Amino acid sequence: QINSNASLTVSLAQTPYCKKHRYDPQNPLCAHIIFCGSVVKVSDSEVGLAKKALFSRHPEMESWPKDHDWFFAKFNITNIWVLDYFGGLKIVTPEEYYSIKP
């Protein structure tokens, strides 16, 4: 409620990739992506989609106590930094990130 700023770092060190290639987790070749932004409560129109997304992956959460004042939130990404090689970060805009087809 006071500060909704947040960041999330994901690294290839969390997968077998870096170990397979004998990369130290601090080596830039063991890529990291850093998402920065804010956590915001979803709108009433988004709650249904949020519930479906969360409970499809974590069905046990649907039975968690209702009196704990849980609410659904989303990560509003404003900055993305990729560290995957020597020479510093690469900046990716949220628009570029979301436009990629998996």
Side-chain angles (χ1 to χ4, degrees):
Q1 292 177 353
I2 297 192
N3 184 347
S4 64
N5 291 328
S7 63
L8 172 68
T9 300
V10 181
S11 169
L12 283 178
Q14 297 168 270
T15 71
Y17 180 84
C18 296
K19 190 172 188 175
K20 176 183 171 188
H21 290 87
R22 296 185 176 170
Y23 294 151
D24 182 285
Q26 296 300 315
N27 183 329
L29 297 176
C30 186
H32 292 72
I33 186 166
I34 304 157
F35 300 94
C36 297
S38 58
V39 177
V40 295
K41 192 172 183 177
V42 299
S43 67
D44 290 341
S45 65
E46 297 172 300
V47 169
L49 179 62
K51 282 183 179 182
K52 184 177 178 182
L54 180 65
F55 297 151
S56 68
R57 292 174 182 87
H58 307 283
E60 70 282 359
M61 291 180 74
E62 196 166 3
S63 65
W64 283 10
K66 306 291 184 220
D67 62 350
H68 286 198
D69 296 326
W70 302 108
F71 63 90
F72 290 90
K74 61 185 176 182
F75 189 24
N76 183 21
I77 298 170
T78 55
N79 297 299
I80 303 169
W81 300 311
V82 179
L83 180 59
D84 64 349
Y85 201 71
F86 299 94
L89 294 166
K90 293 174 184 72
I91 297 172
V92 178
T93 67
E95 295 77 22
E96 290 171 318
Y97 177 78
Y98 287 120
S99 71
I100 299 299
K101 302 285 187 247

PDB file of all heavy atoms in Angstrom, residues 61-84:
ATOM      1  N   MET A  61      -4.925 -23.180  -3.928  1.00  0.00           N
ATOM      2  CA  MET A  61      -5.114 -21.813  -3.429  1.00  0.00           C
ATOM      3  C   MET A  61      -6.585 -21.400  -3.409  1.00  0.00           C
ATOM      4  O   MET A  61      -6.957 -20.505  -2.655  1.00  0.00           O
ATOM      5  CB  MET A  61      -4.302 -20.820  -4.269  1.00  0.00           C
ATOM      6  CG  MET A  61      -2.817 -20.971  -4.078  1.00  0.00           C
ATOM      7  SD  MET A  61      -1.878 -19.794  -5.072  1.00  0.00           S
ATOM      8  CE  MET A  61      -2.170 -18.286  -4.155  1.00  0.00           C
ATOM      9  N   GLU A  62      -7.406 -22.053  -4.216  1.00  0.00           N
ATOM     10  CA  GLU A  62      -8.826 -21.701  -4.273  1.00  0.00           C
ATOM     11  C   GLU A  62      -9.508 -21.935  -2.921  1.00  0.00           C
ATOM     12  O   GLU A  62     -10.481 -21.266  -2.590  1.00  0.00           O
ATOM     13  CB  GLU A  62      -9.518 -22.496  -5.374  1.00  0.00           C
ATOM     14  CG  GLU A  62     -10.862 -21.940  -5.745  1.00  0.00           C
ATOM     15  CD  GLU A  62     -11.389 -22.506  -7.048  1.00  0.00           C
ATOM     16  OE1 GLU A  62     -10.737 -23.387  -7.648  1.00  0.00           O
ATOM     17  OE2 GLU A  62     -12.453 -22.048  -7.472  1.00  0.00           O
ATOM     18  N   SER A  63      -8.971 -22.839  -2.126  1.00  0.00           N
ATOM     19  CA  SER A  63      -9.578 -23.139  -0.824  1.00  0.00           C
ATOM     20  C   SER A  63      -8.892 -22.404   0.336  1.00  0.00           C
ATOM     21  O   SER A  63      -9.211 -22.654   1.497  1.00  0.00           O
ATOM     22  CB  SER A  63      -9.547 -24.649  -0.568  1.00  0.00           C
ATOM     23  OG  SER A  63      -8.206 -25.101  -0.465  1.00  0.00           O
ATOM     24  N   TRP A  64      -7.957 -21.526   0.038  1.00  0.00           N
ATOM     25  CA  TRP A  64      -7.313 -20.773   1.112  1.00  0.00           C
ATOM     26  C   TRP A  64      -8.348 -19.896   1.812  1.00  0.00           C
ATOM     27  O   TRP A  64      -9.324 -19.457   1.192  1.00  0.00           O
ATOM     28  CB  TRP A  64      -6.182 -19.917   0.548  1.00  0.00           C
ATOM     29  CG  TRP A  64      -4.927 -20.687   0.219  1.00  0.00           C
ATOM     30  CD1 TRP A  64      -4.764 -22.044   0.186  1.00  0.00           C
ATOM     31  CD2 TRP A  64      -3.671 -20.130  -0.136  1.00  0.00           C
ATOM     32  NE1 TRP A  64      -3.480 -22.375  -0.164  1.00  0.00           N
ATOM     33  CE2 TRP A  64      -2.778 -21.211  -0.376  1.00  0.00           C
ATOM     34  CE3 TRP A  64      -3.208 -18.845  -0.287  1.00  0.00           C
ATOM     35  CZ2 TRP A  64      -1.451 -21.019  -0.735  1.00  0.00           C
ATOM     36  CZ3 TRP A  64      -1.885 -18.659  -0.647  1.00  0.00           C
ATOM     37  CH2 TRP A  64      -1.014 -19.734  -0.864  1.00  0.00           C
ATOM     38  N   PRO A  65      -8.153 -19.597   3.084  1.00  0.00           N
ATOM     39  CA  PRO A  65      -9.148 -18.837   3.851  1.00  0.00           C
ATOM     40  C   PRO A  65      -9.483 -17.482   3.213  1.00  0.00           C
ATOM     41  O   PRO A  65      -8.596 -16.727   2.828  1.00  0.00           O
ATOM     42  CB  PRO A  65      -8.473 -18.629   5.209  1.00  0.00           C
ATOM     43  CG  PRO A  65      -7.424 -19.680   5.294  1.00  0.00           C
ATOM     44  CD  PRO A  65      -6.986 -19.954   3.885  1.00  0.00           C
ATOM     45  N   LYS A  66     -10.769 -17.218   3.088  1.00  0.00           N
ATOM     46  CA  LYS A  66     -11.238 -15.959   2.469  1.00  0.00           C
ATOM     47  C   LYS A  66     -11.038 -14.764   3.399  1.00  0.00           C
ATOM     48  O   LYS A  66     -10.933 -13.631   2.957  1.00  0.00           O
ATOM     49  CB  LYS A  66     -12.716 -16.061   2.090  1.00  0.00           C
ATOM     50  CG  LYS A  66     -13.059 -17.246   1.218  1.00  0.00           C
ATOM     51  CD  LYS A  66     -12.493 -17.134  -0.172  1.00  0.00           C
ATOM     52  CE  LYS A  66     -12.955 -18.303  -1.022  1.00  0.00           C
ATOM     53  NZ  LYS A  66     -11.958 -18.832  -1.898  1.00  0.00           N
ATOM     54  N   ASP A  67     -10.967 -15.007   4.711  1.00  0.00           N
ATOM     55  CA  ASP A  67     -10.876 -13.895   5.669  1.00  0.00           C
ATOM     56  C   ASP A  67      -9.456 -13.347   5.829  1.00  0.00           C
ATOM     57  O   ASP A  67      -9.194 -12.528   6.696  1.00  0.00           O
ATOM     58  CB  ASP A  67     -11.439 -14.306   7.027  1.00  0.00           C
ATOM     59  CG  ASP A  67     -10.681 -15.456   7.677  1.00  0.00           C
ATOM     60  OD1 ASP A  67      -9.829 -16.078   7.007  1.00  0.00           O
ATOM     61  OD2 ASP A  67     -10.962 -15.730   8.860  1.00  0.00           O
ATOM     62  N   HIS A  68      -8.534 -13.766   4.969  1.00  0.00           N
ATOM     63  CA  HIS A  68      -7.161 -13.247   5.016  1.00  0.00           C
ATOM     64  C   HIS A  68      -6.984 -12.037   4.111  1.00  0.00           C
ATOM     65  O   HIS A  68      -5.875 -11.543   3.929  1.00  0.00           O
ATOM     66  CB  HIS A  68      -6.156 -14.338   4.640  1.00  0.00           C
ATOM     67  CG  HIS A  68      -5.983 -15.353   5.720  1.00  0.00           C
ATOM     68  ND1 HIS A  68      -4.912 -16.202   5.765  1.00  0.00           N
ATOM     69  CD2 HIS A  68      -6.733 -15.680   6.798  1.00  0.00           C
ATOM     70  CE1 HIS A  68      -5.004 -16.995   6.820  1.00  0.00           C
ATOM     71  NE2 HIS A  68      -6.108 -16.702   7.450  1.00  0.00           N
ATOM     72  N   ASP A  69      -8.077 -11.564   3.523  1.00  0.00           N
ATOM     73  CA  ASP A  69      -8.084 -10.375   2.664  1.00  0.00           C
ATOM     74  C   ASP A  69      -7.177 -10.511   1.443  1.00  0.00           C
ATOM     75  O   ASP A  69      -6.509  -9.564   1.035  1.00  0.00           O
ATOM     76  CB  ASP A  69      -7.723  -9.109   3.460  1.00  0.00           C
ATOM     77  CG  ASP A  69      -8.749  -8.802   4.528  1.00  0.00           C
ATOM     78  OD1 ASP A  69      -9.949  -9.068   4.291  1.00  0.00           O
ATOM     79  OD2 ASP A  69      -8.359  -8.302   5.598  1.00  0.00           O
ATOM     80  N   TRP A  70      -7.144 -11.703   0.833  1.00  0.00           N
ATOM     81  CA  TRP A  70      -6.391 -11.901  -0.399  1.00  0.00           C
ATOM     82  C   TRP A  70      -6.998 -11.040  -1.490  1.00  0.00           C
ATOM     83  O   TRP A  70      -8.195 -10.765  -1.497  1.00  0.00           O
ATOM     84  CB  TRP A  70      -6.449 -13.361  -0.857  1.00  0.00           C
ATOM     85  CG  TRP A  70      -5.950 -14.371   0.126  1.00  0.00           C
ATOM     86  CD1 TRP A  70      -6.689 -15.252   0.848  1.00  0.00           C
ATOM     87  CD2 TRP A  70      -4.593 -14.608   0.499  1.00  0.00           C
ATOM     88  NE1 TRP A  70      -5.890 -16.024   1.637  1.00  0.00           N
ATOM     89  CE2 TRP A  70      -4.589 -15.648   1.445  1.00  0.00           C
ATOM     90  CE3 TRP A  70      -3.377 -14.056   0.120  1.00  0.00           C
ATOM     91  CZ2 TRP A  70      -3.433 -16.145   2.014  1.00  0.00           C
ATOM     92  CZ3 TRP A  70      -2.225 -14.551   0.695  1.00  0.00           C
ATOM     93  CH2 TRP A  70      -2.252 -15.571   1.627  1.00  0.00           C
ATOM     94  N   PHE A  71      -6.192 -10.629  -2.410  1.00  0.00           N
ATOM     95  CA  PHE A  71      -6.702  -9.952  -3.596  1.00  0.00           C
ATOM     96  C   PHE A  71      -5.806 -10.314  -4.771  1.00  0.00           C
ATOM     97  O   PHE A  71      -4.684 -10.772  -4.602  1.00  0.00           O
ATOM     98  CB  PHE A  71      -6.766  -8.427  -3.415  1.00  0.00           C
ATOM     99  CG  PHE A  71      -5.440  -7.766  -3.186  1.00  0.00           C
ATOM    100  CD1 PHE A  71      -4.681  -7.311  -4.255  1.00  0.00           C
ATOM    101  CD2 PHE A  71      -4.953  -7.587  -1.903  1.00  0.00           C
ATOM    102  CE1 PHE A  71      -3.452  -6.695  -4.052  1.00  0.00           C
ATOM    103  CE2 PHE A  71      -3.727  -6.968  -1.680  1.00  0.00           C
ATOM    104  CZ  PHE A  71      -2.976  -6.529  -2.761  1.00  0.00           C
ATOM    105  N   PHE A  72      -6.331 -10.132  -5.965  1.00  0.00           N
ATOM    106  CA  PHE A  72      -5.581 -10.456  -7.168  1.00  0.00           C
ATOM    107  C   PHE A  72      -4.859  -9.208  -7.658  1.00  0.00           C
ATOM    108  O   PHE A  72      -5.431  -8.121  -7.695  1.00  0.00           O
ATOM    109  CB  PHE A  72      -6.521 -11.007  -8.255  1.00  0.00           C
ATOM    110  CG  PHE A  72      -7.042 -12.360  -7.913  1.00  0.00           C
ATOM    111  CD1 PHE A  72      -8.215 -12.511  -7.195  1.00  0.00           C
ATOM    112  CD2 PHE A  72      -6.325 -13.485  -8.269  1.00  0.00           C
ATOM    113  CE1 PHE A  72      -8.679 -13.764  -6.861  1.00  0.00           C
ATOM    114  CE2 PHE A  72      -6.775 -14.749  -7.941  1.00  0.00           C
ATOM    115  CZ  PHE A  72      -7.968 -14.880  -7.226  1.00  0.00           C
ATOM    116  N   ALA A  73      -3.608  -9.407  -8.018  1.00  0.00           N
ATOM    117  CA  ALA A  73      -2.776  -8.298  -8.471  1.00  0.00           C
ATOM    118  C   ALA A  73      -2.026  -8.717  -9.727  1.00  0.00           C
ATOM    119  O   ALA A  73      -1.955  -9.901 -10.062  1.00  0.00           O
ATOM    120  CB  ALA A  73      -1.785  -7.898  -7.374  1.00  0.00           C
ATOM    121  N   LYS A  74      -1.490  -7.731 -10.403  1.00  0.00           N
ATOM    122  CA  LYS A  74      -0.674  -8.001 -11.584  1.00  0.00           C
ATOM    123  C   LYS A  74       0.606  -7.180 -11.482  1.00  0.00           C
ATOM    124  O   LYS A  74       0.679  -6.200 -10.736  1.00  0.00           O
ATOM    125  CB  LYS A  74      -1.433  -7.672 -12.865  1.00  0.00           C
ATOM    126  CG  LYS A  74      -1.854  -6.221 -12.983  1.00  0.00           C
ATOM    127  CD  LYS A  74      -2.694  -6.006 -14.220  1.00  0.00           C
ATOM    128  CE  LYS A  74      -3.198  -4.578 -14.278  1.00  0.00           C
ATOM    129  NZ  LYS A  74      -4.043  -4.362 -15.453  1.00  0.00           N
ATOM    130  N   PHE A  75       1.579  -7.605 -12.229  1.00  0.00           N
ATOM    131  CA  PHE A  75       2.868  -6.921 -12.263  1.00  0.00           C
ATOM    132  C   PHE A  75       2.855  -6.014 -13.487  1.00  0.00           C
ATOM    133  O   PHE A  75       2.865  -6.487 -14.619  1.00  0.00           O
ATOM    134  CB  PHE A  75       3.976  -7.961 -12.334  1.00  0.00           C
ATOM    135  CG  PHE A  75       5.374  -7.436 -12.156  1.00  0.00           C
ATOM    136  CD1 PHE A  75       5.642  -6.256 -11.490  1.00  0.00           C
ATOM    137  CD2 PHE A  75       6.443  -8.152 -12.648  1.00  0.00           C
ATOM    138  CE1 PHE A  75       6.933  -5.803 -11.319  1.00  0.00           C
ATOM    139  CE2 PHE A  75       7.744  -7.723 -12.490  1.00  0.00           C
ATOM    140  CZ  PHE A  75       7.987  -6.540 -11.821  1.00  0.00           C
ATOM    141  N   ASN A  76       2.799  -4.727 -13.270  1.00  0.00           N
ATOM    142  CA  ASN A  76       2.799  -3.748 -14.349  1.00  0.00           C
ATOM    143  C   ASN A  76       4.260  -3.436 -14.692  1.00  0.00           C
ATOM    144  O   ASN A  76       4.916  -2.639 -14.027  1.00  0.00           O
ATOM    145  CB  ASN A  76       2.047  -2.492 -13.910  1.00  0.00           C
ATOM    146  CG  ASN A  76       1.945  -1.470 -15.000  1.00  0.00           C
ATOM    147  OD1 ASN A  76       2.070  -1.787 -16.176  1.00  0.00           O
ATOM    148  ND2 ASN A  76       1.723  -0.223 -14.618  1.00  0.00           N
ATOM    149  N   ILE A  77       4.774  -4.084 -15.724  1.00  0.00           N
ATOM    150  CA  ILE A  77       6.189  -3.980 -16.086  1.00  0.00           C
ATOM    151  C   ILE A  77       6.464  -2.666 -16.804  1.00  0.00           C
ATOM    152  O   ILE A  77       5.787  -2.321 -17.774  1.00  0.00           O
ATOM    153  CB  ILE A  77       6.603  -5.168 -16.974  1.00  0.00           C
ATOM    154  CG1 ILE A  77       6.424  -6.483 -16.209  1.00  0.00           C
ATOM    155  CG2 ILE A  77       8.037  -5.016 -17.461  1.00  0.00           C
ATOM    156  CD1 ILE A  77       6.567  -7.719 -17.067  1.00  0.00           C
ATOM    157  N   THR A  78       7.464  -1.940 -16.314  1.00  0.00           N
ATOM    158  CA  THR A  78       7.848  -0.663 -16.929  1.00  0.00           C
ATOM    159  C   THR A  78       9.246  -0.697 -17.520  1.00  0.00           C
ATOM    160  O   THR A  78       9.548   0.061 -18.439  1.00  0.00           O
ATOM    161  CB  THR A  78       7.761   0.486 -15.907  1.00  0.00           C
ATOM    162  OG1 THR A  78       8.561   0.159 -14.772  1.00  0.00           O
ATOM    163  CG2 THR A  78       6.321   0.716 -15.462  1.00  0.00           C
ATOM    164  N   ASN A  79      10.121  -1.548 -16.996  1.00  0.00           N
ATOM    165  CA  ASN A  79      11.496  -1.650 -17.482  1.00  0.00           C
ATOM    166  C   ASN A  79      11.921  -3.106 -17.539  1.00  0.00           C
ATOM    167  O   ASN A  79      11.570  -3.885 -16.649  1.00  0.00           O
ATOM    168  CB  ASN A  79      12.472  -0.915 -16.555  1.00  0.00           C
ATOM    169  CG  ASN A  79      12.209   0.559 -16.492  1.00  0.00           C
ATOM    170  OD1 ASN A  79      12.282   1.247 -17.498  1.00  0.00           O
ATOM    171  ND2 ASN A  79      11.875   1.057 -15.310  1.00  0.00           N
ATOM    172  N   ILE A  80      12.682  -3.447 -18.572  1.00  0.00           N
ATOM    173  CA  ILE A  80      13.215  -4.801 -18.705  1.00  0.00           C
ATOM    174  C   ILE A  80      14.689  -4.683 -19.087  1.00  0.00           C
ATOM    175  O   ILE A  80      15.030  -3.974 -20.034  1.00  0.00           O
ATOM    176  CB  ILE A  80      12.462  -5.603 -19.787  1.00  0.00           C
ATOM    177  CG1 ILE A  80      10.969  -5.647 -19.463  1.00  0.00           C
ATOM    178  CG2 ILE A  80      13.046  -7.001 -19.916  1.00  0.00           C
ATOM    179  CD1 ILE A  80      10.114  -6.175 -20.595  1.00  0.00           C
ATOM    180  N   TRP A  81      15.517  -5.376 -18.323  1.00  0.00           N
ATOM    181  CA  TRP A  81      16.949  -5.380 -18.594  1.00  0.00           C
ATOM    182  C   TRP A  81      17.394  -6.812 -18.809  1.00  0.00           C
ATOM    183  O   TRP A  81      17.044  -7.706 -18.048  1.00  0.00           O
ATOM    184  CB  TRP A  81      17.720  -4.762 -17.442  1.00  0.00           C
ATOM    185  CG  TRP A  81      17.346  -3.338 -17.158  1.00  0.00           C
ATOM    186  CD1 TRP A  81      17.235  -2.316 -18.059  1.00  0.00           C
ATOM    187  CD2 TRP A  81      17.005  -2.781 -15.899  1.00  0.00           C
ATOM    188  NE1 TRP A  81      16.866  -1.163 -17.431  1.00  0.00           N
ATOM    189  CE2 TRP A  81      16.719  -1.422 -16.091  1.00  0.00           C
ATOM    190  CE3 TRP A  81      16.917  -3.289 -14.611  1.00  0.00           C
ATOM    191  CZ2 TRP A  81      16.354  -0.567 -15.070  1.00  0.00           C
ATOM    192  CZ3 TRP A  81      16.558  -2.454 -13.579  1.00  0.00           C
ATOM    193  CH2 TRP A  81      16.282  -1.102 -13.818  1.00  0.00           C
ATOM    194  N   VAL A  82      18.196  -7.026 -19.836  1.00  0.00           N
ATOM    195  CA  VAL A  82      18.721  -8.355 -20.142  1.00  0.00           C
ATOM    196  C   VAL A  82      20.241  -8.302 -20.028  1.00  0.00           C
ATOM    197  O   VAL A  82      20.889  -7.451 -20.633  1.00  0.00           O
ATOM    198  CB  VAL A  82      18.319  -8.800 -21.572  1.00  0.00           C
ATOM    199  CG1 VAL A  82      18.901 -10.169 -21.888  1.00  0.00           C
ATOM    200  CG2 VAL A  82      16.802  -8.803 -21.729  1.00  0.00           C
ATOM    201  N   LEU A  83      20.778  -9.207 -19.242  1.00  0.00           N
ATOM    202  CA  LEU A  83      22.229  -9.353 -19.125  1.00  0.00           C
ATOM    203  C   LEU A  83      22.554 -10.740 -19.647  1.00  0.00           C
ATOM    204  O   LEU A  83      22.303 -11.745 -18.980  1.00  0.00           O
ATOM    205  CB  LEU A  83      22.681  -9.198 -17.673  1.00  0.00           C
ATOM    206  CG  LEU A  83      24.177  -9.339 -17.420  1.00  0.00           C
ATOM    207  CD1 LEU A  83      24.964  -8.311 -18.225  1.00  0.00           C
ATOM    208  CD2 LEU A  83      24.482  -9.202 -15.949  1.00  0.00           C
ATOM    209  N   ASP A  84      23.053 -10.795 -20.887  1.00  0.00           N
ATOM    210  CA  ASP A  84      23.313 -12.095 -21.503  1.00  0.00           C
ATOM    211  C   ASP A  84      24.662 -12.161 -22.209  1.00  0.00           C
ATOM    212  O   ASP A  84      24.960 -13.124 -22.897  1.00  0.00           O
ATOM    213  CB  ASP A  84      22.200 -12.464 -22.479  1.00  0.00           C
ATOM    214  CG  ASP A  84      22.108 -11.525 -23.660  1.00  0.00           C
ATOM    215  OD1 ASP A  84      22.763 -10.461 -23.657  1.00  0.00           O
ATOM    216  OD2 ASP A  84      21.366 -11.850 -24.602  1.00  0.00           O
TER     217      ASP A  84
END
